[in-house]
Amino acid sequence: MSVQERKRRERAERERLIVATARELAEQQGWDAVTTRRLAESIEYSQPVLYSHFRGKREIIGAVALQGATEMAAAVRAATAAADGPRARVYALARAYLDFAERNPAVYDAIFQLDGGLAYAREDTPEPLKDAFAALLECLGEVAGEGVPPGLFTETFWASLHGLATLTRAGRLPPQDTGPRVELLVDRLAVY
């Protein structure tokens, strides 16, 4: 192995460590607790080393968002692949999405609430974000209904899921009613 290859591998490993540590800290204490100084202390590198990877917290949030989008897409695809029939797939998608949001609140915020410097719904949208939307579209496109653009339907269904996730987490909706809300959403919005 060449010296350059070893340095690239070490750099990539440091970057993974920074992102993992930021994510862990955010999940435990919230994004306000994630500072470059705390990260540098936690990973036992100097702040200049951290800044050699990321220009600041915004880019770290973006890196967590991209990682989270990849994980969410995988969770949705796994859930829908195991379901039999369009209604079961849509229900599985909704549950997987809401479960991901509940299990990973800081990551969910990085993807959908915080400024990570990422472009959304544009040509220059990063691939992991496009793929997360594609994971939703793959399932929801088949139940959009006649004359309804699949992308528009997917955006509307996604917005509904996002609302359920954020309002439940904020205590605005009682969590014990999530199941009936999902049933209502799945049965009233999708066309089978």
Side-chain angles (χ1 to χ4, degrees), residues 47-121:
Q47 281 183 295
V49 169
L50 193 136
Y51 282 116
S52 75
H53 291 273
F54 300 99
R55 286 181 278 184
K57 182 175 176 177
R58 182 178 187 219
E59 284 189 4
I60 294 168
I61 290 169
V64 170
L66 294 176
Q67 185 181 75
T70 299
E71 293 169 9
M72 188 178 73
V76 165
R77 284 188 175 111
T80 58
D84 186 31
R87 186 191 183 286
R89 279 191 292 280
V90 173
Y91 187 82
L93 176 146
R95 286 303 327 162
Y97 183 97
L98 294 172
D99 289 348
F100 180 87
E102 184 180 348
R103 281 190 325 273
N104 305 284
V107 173
Y108 189 83
D109 285 349
I111 300 169
F112 298 116
Q113 304 284 95
L114 301 174
D115 179 10
L118 304 173
Y120 286 79

Side-chain angles (χ1 to χ4, degrees), residues 86 90 140 142-146 148 153 186-192:
V90 173
L140 295 172
E142 71 177 316
V143 296
E146 190 174 325
V148 178
F153 178 79
V186 168
D187 288 338
R188 300 298 171 121
L189 204 53
V191 177
Y192 306 101

Side-chain angles (χ1 to χ4, degrees), residues 86-87 90-91 93-94 136 139-164 180-192:
R87 186 191 183 286
V90 173
Y91 187 82
L93 176 146
L136 300 176
C139 176
L140 295 172
E142 71 177 316
V143 296
E146 190 174 325
V148 178
L152 183 63
F153 178 79
T154 300
E155 289 169 350
T156 302
F157 199 93
W158 167 37
S160 299
L161 290 175
H162 177 71
L164 288 176
R181 285 188 199 96
V182 170
E183 290 281 342
L184 184 62
L185 180 62
V186 168
D187 288 338
R188 300 298 171 121
L189 204 53
V191 177
Y192 306 101

